[in-house]
Amino acid sequence: MSETIFNKIIRKEIPADIIYEDELCLAFKDVNPQAPIHILIIPKKSIPKVSDAVKDDHNVLGHLLLKAGEIANTLGVKDAFRLVINNGEDAGQTVFHLHIHLLAGRRLNWPPG
Ligand code: AMP
């Protein structure tokens, strides 16, 4: 499985502003925030993209979405936030370890770019 910077964050080999962690996932502040609140929620398992997920990943994928909602509640943004998953280079993915962007704290326009 491919190694990314997110694996190093999971192993605490490089610093990150971690706001939540459990046995399946980790959530930390994006280093280049696109909104006042910009959190990345990642599985501890190395799944490069959503399109690489397999049936056995059902539980962890559901867990990520549940935790995204809980984190939004914790941050006080439960009524206005956006979750984004970029899948593949042409969709804007730059780190090939599946992650959910949680964006909030400003007006979020539609459609996204
Ligand atoms: P994506 O373009 O969807 O693959 O998103 C990757 C995100 O990871 C970008 O928003 C980056 O700013 C963020 N990122 C990259 N390296 C780090 C890091 N060391 N700590 C926190 N966020 C990072």
mmCIF file of all heavy atoms in Angstrom, residues 60-103:
data_model
loop_
_atom_site.group_PDB
_atom_site.id
_atom_site.type_symbol
_atom_site.label_atom_id
_atom_site.label_comp_id
_atom_site.label_asym_id
_atom_site.label_seq_id
_atom_site.Cartn_x
_atom_site.Cartn_y
_atom_site.Cartn_z
ATOM 1 N N VAL A 60 -15.604 1.258 7.940
ATOM 2 C CA VAL A 60 -14.750 2.436 8.147
ATOM 3 C C VAL A 60 -15.291 3.639 7.363
ATOM 4 O O VAL A 60 -15.256 4.778 7.856
ATOM 5 C CB VAL A 60 -13.263 2.138 7.808
ATOM 6 C CG1 VAL A 60 -13.008 1.964 6.348
ATOM 7 C CG2 VAL A 60 -12.361 3.224 8.354
ATOM 8 N N LEU A 61 -15.849 3.404 6.185
ATOM 9 C CA LEU A 61 -16.402 4.521 5.398
ATOM 10 C C LEU A 61 -17.597 5.132 6.117
ATOM 11 O O LEU A 61 -17.725 6.361 6.201
ATOM 12 C CB LEU A 61 -16.792 4.066 3.996
ATOM 13 C CG LEU A 61 -15.644 3.607 3.090
ATOM 14 C CD1 LEU A 61 -16.173 3.249 1.700
ATOM 15 C CD2 LEU A 61 -14.562 4.666 2.979
ATOM 16 N N GLY A 62 -18.465 4.289 6.652
ATOM 17 C CA GLY A 62 -19.602 4.797 7.419
ATOM 18 C C GLY A 62 -19.139 5.540 8.662
ATOM 19 O O GLY A 62 -19.684 6.587 9.021
ATOM 20 N N HIS A 63 -18.119 5.008 9.299
ATOM 21 C CA HIS A 63 -17.561 5.618 10.511
ATOM 22 C C HIS A 63 -17.060 7.037 10.223
ATOM 23 O O HIS A 63 -17.308 7.957 11.008
ATOM 24 C CB HIS A 63 -16.412 4.724 11.002
ATOM 25 C CG HIS A 63 -15.848 5.129 12.316
ATOM 26 N ND1 HIS A 63 -16.460 4.863 13.520
ATOM 27 C CD2 HIS A 63 -14.705 5.805 12.625
ATOM 28 C CE1 HIS A 63 -15.733 5.347 14.503
ATOM 29 N NE2 HIS A 63 -14.659 5.923 13.992
ATOM 30 N N LEU A 64 -16.387 7.209 9.109
ATOM 31 C CA LEU A 64 -15.844 8.538 8.763
ATOM 32 C C LEU A 64 -16.967 9.571 8.651
ATOM 33 O O LEU A 64 -16.849 10.699 9.132
ATOM 34 C CB LEU A 64 -15.085 8.482 7.432
ATOM 35 C CG LEU A 64 -13.786 7.678 7.404
ATOM 36 C CD1 LEU A 64 -13.207 7.685 5.988
ATOM 37 C CD2 LEU A 64 -12.766 8.235 8.385
ATOM 38 N N LEU A 65 -18.068 9.178 8.020
ATOM 39 C CA LEU A 65 -19.181 10.107 7.824
ATOM 40 C C LEU A 65 -19.859 10.432 9.160
ATOM 41 O O LEU A 65 -20.189 11.587 9.436
ATOM 42 C CB LEU A 65 -20.166 9.471 6.843
ATOM 43 C CG LEU A 65 -20.980 10.396 5.947
ATOM 44 C CD1 LEU A 65 -20.129 11.473 5.301
ATOM 45 C CD2 LEU A 65 -21.693 9.575 4.879
ATOM 46 N N LEU A 66 -20.027 9.410 9.980
ATOM 47 C CA LEU A 66 -20.615 9.647 11.307
ATOM 48 C C LEU A 66 -19.753 10.597 12.117
ATOM 49 O O LEU A 66 -20.249 11.533 12.750
ATOM 50 C CB LEU A 66 -20.736 8.326 12.063
ATOM 51 C CG LEU A 66 -22.038 7.563 11.932
ATOM 52 C CD1 LEU A 66 -21.924 6.226 12.672
ATOM 53 C CD2 LEU A 66 -23.192 8.372 12.495
ATOM 54 N N LYS A 67 -18.454 10.359 12.092
ATOM 55 C CA LYS A 67 -17.535 11.203 12.861
ATOM 56 C C LYS A 67 -17.509 12.620 12.308
ATOM 57 O O LYS A 67 -17.390 13.583 13.064
ATOM 58 C CB LYS A 67 -16.125 10.597 12.877
ATOM 59 C CG LYS A 67 -16.033 9.345 13.711
ATOM 60 C CD LYS A 67 -16.405 9.624 15.159
ATOM 61 C CE LYS A 67 -16.804 8.367 15.899
ATOM 62 N NZ LYS A 67 -17.354 8.633 17.240
ATOM 63 N N ALA A 68 -17.637 12.757 10.990
ATOM 64 C CA ALA A 68 -17.674 14.100 10.399
ATOM 65 C C ALA A 68 -18.843 14.885 10.988
ATOM 66 O O ALA A 68 -18.698 16.058 11.366
ATOM 67 C CB ALA A 68 -17.793 14.008 8.881
ATOM 68 N N GLY A 69 -20.000 14.246 11.091
ATOM 69 C CA GLY A 69 -21.163 14.917 11.678
ATOM 70 C C GLY A 69 -20.939 15.262 13.139
ATOM 71 O O GLY A 69 -21.274 16.362 13.596
ATOM 72 N N GLU A 70 -20.357 14.338 13.879
ATOM 73 C CA GLU A 70 -20.095 14.585 15.310
ATOM 74 C C GLU A 70 -19.085 15.726 15.485
ATOM 75 O O GLU A 70 -19.241 16.573 16.365
ATOM 76 C CB GLU A 70 -19.542 13.316 15.969
ATOM 77 C CG GLU A 70 -20.600 12.249 16.188
ATOM 78 C CD GLU A 70 -20.024 10.985 16.817
ATOM 79 O OE1 GLU A 70 -18.911 11.037 17.397
ATOM 80 O OE2 GLU A 70 -20.688 9.948 16.714
ATOM 81 N N ILE A 71 -18.064 15.733 14.649
ATOM 82 C CA ILE A 71 -17.047 16.792 14.754
ATOM 83 C C ILE A 71 -17.677 18.140 14.421
ATOM 84 O O ILE A 71 -17.425 19.149 15.088
ATOM 85 C CB ILE A 71 -15.841 16.462 13.840
ATOM 86 C CG1 ILE A 71 -15.061 15.285 14.427
ATOM 87 C CG2 ILE A 71 -14.929 17.681 13.659
ATOM 88 C CD1 ILE A 71 -14.049 14.657 13.485
ATOM 89 N N ALA A 72 -18.539 18.175 13.401
ATOM 90 C CA ALA A 72 -19.234 19.423 13.063
ATOM 91 C C ALA A 72 -20.060 19.904 14.261
ATOM 92 O O ALA A 72 -20.079 21.106 14.570
ATOM 93 C CB ALA A 72 -20.114 19.215 11.835
ATOM 94 N N ASN A 73 -20.713 18.975 14.935
ATOM 95 C CA ASN A 73 -21.476 19.347 16.145
ATOM 96 C C ASN A 73 -20.552 19.930 17.202
ATOM 97 O O ASN A 73 -20.837 20.952 17.812
ATOM 98 C CB ASN A 73 -22.192 18.124 16.724
ATOM 99 C CG ASN A 73 -23.389 17.718 15.910
ATOM 100 O OD1 ASN A 73 -23.843 18.466 15.043
ATOM 101 N ND2 ASN A 73 -23.913 16.532 16.170
ATOM 102 N N THR A 74 -19.435 19.240 17.409
ATOM 103 C CA THR A 74 -18.474 19.685 18.431
ATOM 104 C C THR A 74 -17.950 21.081 18.131
ATOM 105 O O THR A 74 -17.728 21.882 19.039
ATOM 106 C CB THR A 74 -17.281 18.700 18.475
ATOM 107 O OG1 THR A 74 -17.792 17.396 18.710
ATOM 108 C CG2 THR A 74 -16.290 19.055 19.559
ATOM 109 N N LEU A 75 -17.768 21.358 16.845
ATOM 110 C CA LEU A 75 -17.220 22.659 16.450
ATOM 111 C C LEU A 75 -18.298 23.735 16.379
ATOM 112 O O LEU A 75 -18.005 24.894 16.091
ATOM 113 C CB LEU A 75 -16.514 22.532 15.093
ATOM 114 C CG LEU A 75 -15.288 21.608 15.061
ATOM 115 C CD1 LEU A 75 -14.780 21.434 13.641
ATOM 116 C CD2 LEU A 75 -14.184 22.169 15.968
ATOM 117 N N GLY A 76 -19.544 23.342 16.584
ATOM 118 C CA GLY A 76 -20.639 24.310 16.598
ATOM 119 C C GLY A 76 -21.092 24.751 15.218
ATOM 120 O O GLY A 76 -21.649 25.833 15.064
ATOM 121 N N VAL A 77 -20.863 23.905 14.216
ATOM 122 C CA VAL A 77 -21.228 24.293 12.843
ATOM 123 C C VAL A 77 -22.228 23.301 12.232
ATOM 124 O O VAL A 77 -22.338 23.187 11.016
ATOM 125 C CB VAL A 77 -19.987 24.419 11.926
ATOM 126 C CG1 VAL A 77 -19.078 25.522 12.425
ATOM 127 C CG2 VAL A 77 -19.212 23.104 11.837
ATOM 128 N N LYS A 78 -22.993 22.630 13.064
ATOM 129 C CA LYS A 78 -23.797 21.503 12.573
ATOM 130 C C LYS A 78 -24.825 21.896 11.516
ATOM 131 O O LYS A 78 -25.265 21.053 10.743
ATOM 132 C CB LYS A 78 -24.473 20.780 13.734
ATOM 133 C CG LYS A 78 -25.527 21.589 14.455
ATOM 134 C CD LYS A 78 -26.198 20.737 15.519
ATOM 135 C CE LYS A 78 -27.234 21.556 16.269
ATOM 136 N NZ LYS A 78 -27.931 20.767 17.262
ATOM 137 N N ASP A 79 -25.217 23.180 11.461
ATOM 138 C CA ASP A 79 -26.243 23.574 10.491
ATOM 139 C C ASP A 79 -25.671 24.105 9.190
ATOM 140 O O ASP A 79 -26.435 24.401 8.265
ATOM 141 C CB ASP A 79 -27.175 24.615 11.110
ATOM 142 C CG ASP A 79 -28.071 23.980 12.161
ATOM 143 O OD1 ASP A 79 -28.389 22.782 12.026
ATOM 144 O OD2 ASP A 79 -28.416 24.670 13.128
ATOM 145 N N ALA A 80 -24.361 24.262 9.093
ATOM 146 C CA ALA A 80 -23.784 24.809 7.856
ATOM 147 C C ALA A 80 -22.346 24.353 7.709
ATOM 148 O O ALA A 80 -21.423 24.968 8.242
ATOM 149 C CB ALA A 80 -23.851 26.336 7.854
ATOM 150 N N PHE A 81 -22.191 23.245 7.022
ATOM 151 C CA PHE A 81 -20.838 22.803 6.702
ATOM 152 C C PHE A 81 -20.894 22.004 5.418
ATOM 153 O O PHE A 81 -21.969 21.594 4.958
ATOM 154 C CB PHE A 81 -20.217 21.977 7.849
ATOM 155 C CG PHE A 81 -20.916 20.684 8.174
ATOM 156 C CD1 PHE A 81 -20.549 19.497 7.545
ATOM 157 C CD2 PHE A 81 -21.943 20.649 9.105
ATOM 158 C CE1 PHE A 81 -21.181 18.291 7.861
ATOM 159 C CE2 PHE A 81 -22.580 19.447 9.424
ATOM 160 C CZ PHE A 81 -22.197 18.276 8.787
ATOM 161 N N ARG A 82 -19.740 21.804 4.820
ATOM 162 C CA ARG A 82 -19.665 21.005 3.595
ATOM 163 C C ARG A 82 -18.616 19.918 3.761
ATOM 164 O O ARG A 82 -17.529 20.170 4.286
ATOM 165 C CB ARG A 82 -19.314 21.899 2.398
ATOM 166 C CG ARG A 82 -19.242 21.098 1.081
ATOM 167 C CD ARG A 82 -19.081 22.016 -0.116
ATOM 168 N NE ARG A 82 -20.274 22.822 -0.300
ATOM 169 C CZ ARG A 82 -20.321 23.921 -1.066
ATOM 170 N NH1 ARG A 82 -19.241 24.317 -1.706
ATOM 171 N NH2 ARG A 82 -21.437 24.611 -1.179
ATOM 172 N N LEU A 83 -18.957 18.721 3.292
ATOM 173 C CA LEU A 83 -18.000 17.611 3.256
ATOM 174 C C LEU A 83 -17.614 17.385 1.804
ATOM 175 O O LEU A 83 -18.483 17.337 0.931
ATOM 176 C CB LEU A 83 -18.629 16.340 3.831
ATOM 177 C CG LEU A 83 -19.136 16.442 5.266
ATOM 178 C CD1 LEU A 83 -19.762 15.117 5.696
ATOM 179 C CD2 LEU A 83 -18.016 16.833 6.230
ATOM 180 N N VAL A 84 -16.313 17.268 1.552
ATOM 181 C CA VAL A 84 -15.804 17.100 0.192
ATOM 182 C C VAL A 84 -14.825 15.934 0.183
ATOM 183 O O VAL A 84 -13.973 15.832 1.074
ATOM 184 C CB VAL A 84 -15.061 18.375 -0.292
ATOM 185 C CG1 VAL A 84 -14.410 18.160 -1.640
ATOM 186 C CG2 VAL A 84 -16.005 19.569 -0.324
ATOM 187 N N ILE A 85 -14.964 15.079 -0.824
ATOM 188 C CA ILE A 85 -13.951 14.043 -1.068
ATOM 189 C C ILE A 85 -13.512 14.175 -2.517
ATOM 190 O O ILE A 85 -14.329 13.987 -3.431
ATOM 191 C CB ILE A 85 -14.503 12.618 -0.835
ATOM 192 C CG1 ILE A 85 -15.027 12.457 0.602
ATOM 193 C CG2 ILE A 85 -13.401 11.581 -1.127
ATOM 194 C CD1 ILE A 85 -15.672 11.090 0.865
ATOM 195 N N ASN A 86 -12.266 14.528 -2.729
ATOM 196 C CA ASN A 86 -11.721 14.562 -4.080
ATOM 197 C C ASN A 86 -11.208 13.172 -4.422
ATOM 198 O O ASN A 86 -10.453 12.576 -3.649
ATOM 199 C CB ASN A 86 -10.586 15.594 -4.163
ATOM 200 C CG ASN A 86 -11.080 17.006 -3.895
ATOM 201 O OD1 ASN A 86 -12.182 17.378 -4.317
ATOM 202 N ND2 ASN A 86 -10.283 17.800 -3.183
ATOM 203 N N ASN A 87 -11.632 12.671 -5.554
ATOM 204 C CA ASN A 87 -11.229 11.311 -5.973
ATOM 205 C C ASN A 87 -10.484 11.392 -7.293
ATOM 206 O O ASN A 87 -11.105 11.592 -8.347
ATOM 207 C CB ASN A 87 -12.467 10.413 -6.123
ATOM 208 C CG ASN A 87 -12.104 8.949 -6.373
ATOM 209 O OD1 ASN A 87 -12.071 8.148 -5.441
ATOM 210 N ND2 ASN A 87 -11.815 8.575 -7.601
ATOM 211 N N GLY A 88 -9.152 11.293 -7.236
ATOM 212 C CA GLY A 88 -8.343 11.322 -8.450
ATOM 213 C C GLY A 88 -7.792 12.705 -8.740
ATOM 214 O O GLY A 88 -8.335 13.725 -8.317
ATOM 215 N N GLU A 89 -6.682 12.691 -9.453
ATOM 216 C CA GLU A 89 -5.942 13.929 -9.735
ATOM 217 C C GLU A 89 -6.795 14.981 -10.439
ATOM 218 O O GLU A 89 -6.776 16.161 -10.067
ATOM 219 C CB GLU A 89 -4.749 13.555 -10.619
ATOM 220 C CG GLU A 89 -3.527 14.411 -10.393
ATOM 221 C CD GLU A 89 -2.339 13.836 -11.151
ATOM 222 O OE1 GLU A 89 -1.942 12.708 -10.826
ATOM 223 O OE2 GLU A 89 -1.857 14.518 -12.058
ATOM 224 N N ASP A 90 -7.584 14.568 -11.424
ATOM 225 C CA ASP A 90 -8.389 15.538 -12.172
ATOM 226 C C ASP A 90 -9.538 16.099 -11.342
ATOM 227 O O ASP A 90 -10.154 17.098 -11.735
ATOM 228 C CB ASP A 90 -8.930 14.908 -13.456
ATOM 229 C CG ASP A 90 -7.851 14.774 -14.523
ATOM 230 O OD1 ASP A 90 -6.752 15.338 -14.327
ATOM 231 O OD2 ASP A 90 -8.103 14.108 -15.545
ATOM 232 N N ALA A 91 -9.819 15.469 -10.225
ATOM 233 C CA ALA A 91 -10.851 15.986 -9.315
ATOM 234 C C ALA A 91 -10.222 16.797 -8.182
ATOM 235 O O ALA A 91 -10.907 17.201 -7.243
ATOM 236 C CB ALA A 91 -11.673 14.841 -8.753
ATOM 237 N N GLY A 92 -8.902 17.010 -8.256
ATOM 238 C CA GLY A 92 -8.236 17.846 -7.264
ATOM 239 C C GLY A 92 -7.559 17.092 -6.142
ATOM 240 O O GLY A 92 -7.046 17.710 -5.202
ATOM 241 N N GLN A 93 -7.548 15.756 -6.208
ATOM 242 C CA GLN A 93 -6.887 15.008 -5.129
ATOM 243 C C GLN A 93 -5.378 15.143 -5.246
ATOM 244 O O GLN A 93 -4.803 14.939 -6.327
ATOM 245 C CB GLN A 93 -7.295 13.527 -5.174
ATOM 246 C CG GLN A 93 -6.775 12.748 -3.966
ATOM 247 C CD GLN A 93 -7.307 11.318 -3.879
ATOM 248 O OE1 GLN A 93 -8.002 10.848 -4.779
ATOM 249 N NE2 GLN A 93 -6.969 10.628 -2.807
ATOM 250 N N THR A 94 -4.736 15.496 -4.145
ATOM 251 C CA THR A 94 -3.274 15.641 -4.136
ATOM 252 C C THR A 94 -2.608 14.663 -3.171
ATOM 253 O O THR A 94 -1.431 14.350 -3.331
ATOM 254 C CB THR A 94 -2.859 17.083 -3.746
ATOM 255 O OG1 THR A 94 -3.429 17.395 -2.472
ATOM 256 C CG2 THR A 94 -3.319 18.089 -4.786
ATOM 257 N N VAL A 95 -3.344 14.232 -2.156
ATOM 258 C CA VAL A 95 -2.799 13.244 -1.215
ATOM 259 C C VAL A 95 -3.606 11.962 -1.399
ATOM 260 O O VAL A 95 -4.832 11.956 -1.201
ATOM 261 C CB VAL A 95 -2.882 13.740 0.247
ATOM 262 C CG1 VAL A 95 -2.347 12.668 1.191
ATOM 263 C CG2 VAL A 95 -2.123 15.050 0.424
ATOM 264 N N PHE A 96 -2.896 10.891 -1.758
ATOM 265 C CA PHE A 96 -3.594 9.654 -2.105
ATOM 266 C C PHE A 96 -3.744 8.728 -0.902
ATOM 267 O O PHE A 96 -3.270 7.591 -0.879
ATOM 268 C CB PHE A 96 -2.943 9.019 -3.346
ATOM 269 C CG PHE A 96 -3.305 9.827 -4.566
ATOM 270 C CD1 PHE A 96 -2.611 10.983 -4.888
ATOM 271 C CD2 PHE A 96 -4.414 9.487 -5.325
ATOM 272 C CE1 PHE A 96 -2.996 11.774 -5.964
ATOM 273 C CE2 PHE A 96 -4.806 10.264 -6.412
ATOM 274 C CZ PHE A 96 -4.089 11.416 -6.729
ATOM 275 N N HIS A 97 -4.408 9.298 0.083
ATOM 276 C CA HIS A 97 -4.891 8.584 1.269
ATOM 277 C C HIS A 97 -6.277 9.177 1.490
ATOM 278 O O HIS A 97 -6.393 10.388 1.779
ATOM 279 C CB HIS A 97 -3.974 8.844 2.472
ATOM 280 C CG HIS A 97 -4.365 8.107 3.712
ATOM 281 N ND1 HIS A 97 -3.556 7.169 4.321
ATOM 282 C CD2 HIS A 97 -5.486 8.165 4.473
ATOM 283 C CE1 HIS A 97 -4.162 6.683 5.390
ATOM 284 N NE2 HIS A 97 -5.346 7.287 5.502
ATOM 285 N N LEU A 98 -7.308 8.382 1.294
ATOM 286 C CA LEU A 98 -8.687 8.870 1.354
ATOM 287 C C LEU A 98 -8.889 9.848 2.515
ATOM 288 O O LEU A 98 -8.423 9.595 3.629
ATOM 289 C CB LEU A 98 -9.613 7.669 1.514
ATOM 290 C CG LEU A 98 -11.112 7.823 1.306
ATOM 291 C CD1 LEU A 98 -11.701 6.449 0.999
ATOM 292 C CD2 LEU A 98 -11.820 8.434 2.477
ATOM 293 N N HIS A 99 -9.562 10.961 2.254
ATOM 294 C CA HIS A 99 -9.854 11.921 3.312
ATOM 295 C C HIS A 99 -11.115 12.696 2.987
ATOM 296 O O HIS A 99 -11.409 12.968 1.827
ATOM 297 C CB HIS A 99 -8.683 12.891 3.532
ATOM 298 C CG HIS A 99 -8.155 13.521 2.278
ATOM 299 N ND1 HIS A 99 -7.322 12.855 1.407
ATOM 300 C CD2 HIS A 99 -8.367 14.738 1.741
ATOM 301 C CE1 HIS A 99 -7.022 13.642 0.387
ATOM 302 N NE2 HIS A 99 -7.664 14.793 0.562
ATOM 303 N N ILE A 100 -11.826 13.058 4.031
ATOM 304 C CA ILE A 100 -12.998 13.926 3.916
ATOM 305 C C ILE A 100 -12.578 15.319 4.380
ATOM 306 O O ILE A 100 -12.041 15.472 5.478
ATOM 307 C CB ILE A 100 -14.160 13.434 4.801
ATOM 308 C CG1 ILE A 100 -14.584 12.020 4.396
ATOM 309 C CG2 ILE A 100 -15.334 14.407 4.709
ATOM 310 C CD1 ILE A 100 -15.699 11.445 5.281
ATOM 311 N N HIS A 101 -12.816 16.318 3.527
ATOM 312 C CA HIS A 101 -12.638 17.712 3.949
ATOM 313 C C HIS A 101 -13.932 18.160 4.634
ATOM 314 O O HIS A 101 -15.022 17.998 4.066
ATOM 315 C CB HIS A 101 -12.432 18.632 2.737
ATOM 316 C CG HIS A 101 -11.207 18.373 1.932
ATOM 317 N ND1 HIS A 101 -10.056 19.120 2.057
ATOM 318 C CD2 HIS A 101 -10.955 17.469 0.954
ATOM 319 C CE1 HIS A 101 -9.149 18.695 1.186
ATOM 320 N NE2 HIS A 101 -9.669 17.695 0.500
ATOM 321 N N LEU A 102 -13.813 18.737 5.812
ATOM 322 C CA LEU A 102 -14.960 19.378 6.468
ATOM 323 C C LEU A 102 -14.688 20.881 6.439
ATOM 324 O O LEU A 102 -13.709 21.352 7.022
ATOM 325 C CB LEU A 102 -15.103 18.866 7.900
ATOM 326 C CG LEU A 102 -16.362 19.253 8.686
ATOM 327 C CD1 LEU A 102 -16.497 18.368 9.929
ATOM 328 C CD2 LEU A 102 -16.401 20.707 9.116
ATOM 329 N N LEU A 103 -15.537 21.600 5.715
ATOM 330 C CA LEU A 103 -15.349 23.041 5.524
ATOM 331 C C LEU A 103 -16.520 23.792 6.146
ATOM 332 O O LEU A 103 -17.685 23.408 5.959
ATOM 333 C CB LEU A 103 -15.291 23.374 4.031
ATOM 334 C CG LEU A 103 -14.132 22.723 3.271
ATOM 335 C CD1 LEU A 103 -14.491 22.504 1.812
ATOM 336 C CD2 LEU A 103 -12.890 23.588 3.375
#
